[in-house]
């Protein structure tokens, strides 16, 4: 939390690039994960601050490019259970600061800034989880015992269907949290897109895990039905409340909902889901 965090980043960058040393085996790796998950701290209080989070995310990405791994979780961070994974996904949708109610001009600008920083925190954390997923895909195999995200997903005592339903509804919640930024606020637009793409990548990965797990395989059609139901219950309801539900707006939102589920494993999910939501022709044009 120094006044010049970019200097610490430059030191780490130099050590990693020119001396081939990583922080992944040290306490620094866990500190970086904490920063990406909760933001920096001041007197034990976490707050979102885009500059420091961007430096941390840049170093994590550099470490991944140089060594093929991310800074590791310590025991307090590593997802080892279904509840741990739930906390990871709900952290993306958590907003410490929202812009609601009436404000004076000065207060509204301050509230908007805090809201933007909060969305940036969600974007950086979702991208970090995406890097963890890329680690689990290399090499690609269906033995998930050594893959913490996949094994935590499969550890739900209520079964794979319940896990997949939770992920689908969290993805829909992510859209509820971010859809207004895509339409009304260009300053938050890019960060909201990063959040949605990151969560979409995670959701498609867990969908793939559900289809290949030997214990209780689900079909892509069943998974697409869960996402379709989640859209109807969450996103449609949110559009109704904000009086934004025109036919064209709803159609465009459905298409974006499908397109953000983009990953190397998502082709069949997107095909089935676009058919469920009635946007298959438009999806075939842009995919």
């Amino acid at each position: 939390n120094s006044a010049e965090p970019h200097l610490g980043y430059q030191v780490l960058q130099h050590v990693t690039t020119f001396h081939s040393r990583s922080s992944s085996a040290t306490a620094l790796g866990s500190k970086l994960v904490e920063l990406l998950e909760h933001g920096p701290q001041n007197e034990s209080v976490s707050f979102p601050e885009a500059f420091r989070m961007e430096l941390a995310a840049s170093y994590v990405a550099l470490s991944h490019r140089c060594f093929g791994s991310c800074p590791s979780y310590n025991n307090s961070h590593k997802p080892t259970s279904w509840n741990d994974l739930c906390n990871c996904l709900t952290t993306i949708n958590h907003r410490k600061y929202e812009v609601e109610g009436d404000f004076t001009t000065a207060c509204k600008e301050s509230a908007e800034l805090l809201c933007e920083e909060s969305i940036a925190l969600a974007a950086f954390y979702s991208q970090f989880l995406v890097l963890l997923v890329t680690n689990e895909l290399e090499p690609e195999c269906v033995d998930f015992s050594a893959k913490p995200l996949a094994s935590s997903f499969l550890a739900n005592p209520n079964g794979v269907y319940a896990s997949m339903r939770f992920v689908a509804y969290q993805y829909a919640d992510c859209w509820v949290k971010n859809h207004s930024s895509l339409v009304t606020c260009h300053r938050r637009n890019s960060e909201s897109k990063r959040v949605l793409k990151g969560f979409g990548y995670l959701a498609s990965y867990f969908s793939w895990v559900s289809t290949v797990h030997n214990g209780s395989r689900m079909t892509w059609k069943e998974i697409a039905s869960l996402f379709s139901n989640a859209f109807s219950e969450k996103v449609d309801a949110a559009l109704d409340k904000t009086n934004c539900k025109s036919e064209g707006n709803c159609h465009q939102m459905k298409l974006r909902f499908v397109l953000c589920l983009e990953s190397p494993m998502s082709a069949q999910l997107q095909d089935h889901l676009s058919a469920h939501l009635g946007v298959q022709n438009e999806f075939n044009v842009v995919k």
Side-chain angles (χ1 to χ4, degrees), residues 17-206:
T17 305
F18 296 103
H19 299 281
S20 299
R21 298 187 64 183
S22 170
S23 69
S24 61
T26 70
L28 181 57
S30 294
K31 290 295 183 182
L32 286 170
V33 174
E34 287 181 6
L35 196 151
L36 288 172
E37 187 172 0
H38 303 293
Q41 287 189 349
N42 183 33
E43 296 181 356
S44 300
V45 177
S46 298
F47 61 95
E49 200 271 299
F51 182 51
R52 285 176 171 79
M53 293 185 297
E54 183 174 7
L55 292 176
S58 296
Y59 177 72
V60 167
L62 175 65
S63 177
H64 187 267
R65 288 195 302 271
C66 292
F67 305 107
S69 64
C70 302
S72 60
Y73 282 104
N74 63 16
N75 290 334
S76 63
H77 288 92
K78 187 176 181 180
T80 57
S81 69
W82 167 244
N83 287 336
D84 290 343
L85 181 61
C86 288
N87 290 335
C88 288
L89 298 180
T90 53
T91 293
I92 299 174
N93 285 336
H94 175 68
R95 291 285 188 276
K96 192 171 184 179
Y97 302 100
E98 298 279 8
V99 181
E100 296 179 353
D102 297 324
F103 297 90
T104 64
T105 301
C107 288
K108 186 170 184 178
E109 289 178 357
S110 177
E112 286 279 3
L113 179 60
L114 287 171
C115 186
E116 289 169 23
E117 300 276 14
S118 190
I119 295 174
L121 174 59
F124 289 126
Y125 186 59
S126 66
Q127 293 303 310
F128 169 71
L129 293 178
V130 167
L131 284 179
L132 291 183
V133 166
T134 61
N135 284 347
E136 296 196 0
L137 288 173
E138 299 171 0
E140 184 178 329
C141 66
V142 295
D143 178 12
F144 299 118
S145 58
K147 300 181 177 183
L149 289 176
S151 60
S152 298
F153 174 81
L154 297 171
N156 186 348
N158 295 318
V160 172
Y161 181 90
S163 296
M164 197 62 249
R165 186 179 187 279
F166 177 83
V167 170
Y169 276 73
Q170 284 295 311
Y171 178 61
D173 277 337
C174 192
W175 271 88
V176 171
K177 289 282 187 181
N178 291 279
H179 83 276
S180 61
S181 298
L182 300 179
V183 178
T184 61
C185 182
H186 68 277
R187 290 189 302 177
R188 301 202 302 261
N189 187 294
S190 60
E191 295 300 335
S192 292
K193 284 181 178 178
R194 287 176 60 199
V195 175
L196 291 169
K197 283 192 172 183
F199 209 123
Y201 194 100
L202 295 170
S204 63
Y205 172 65
F206 292 126

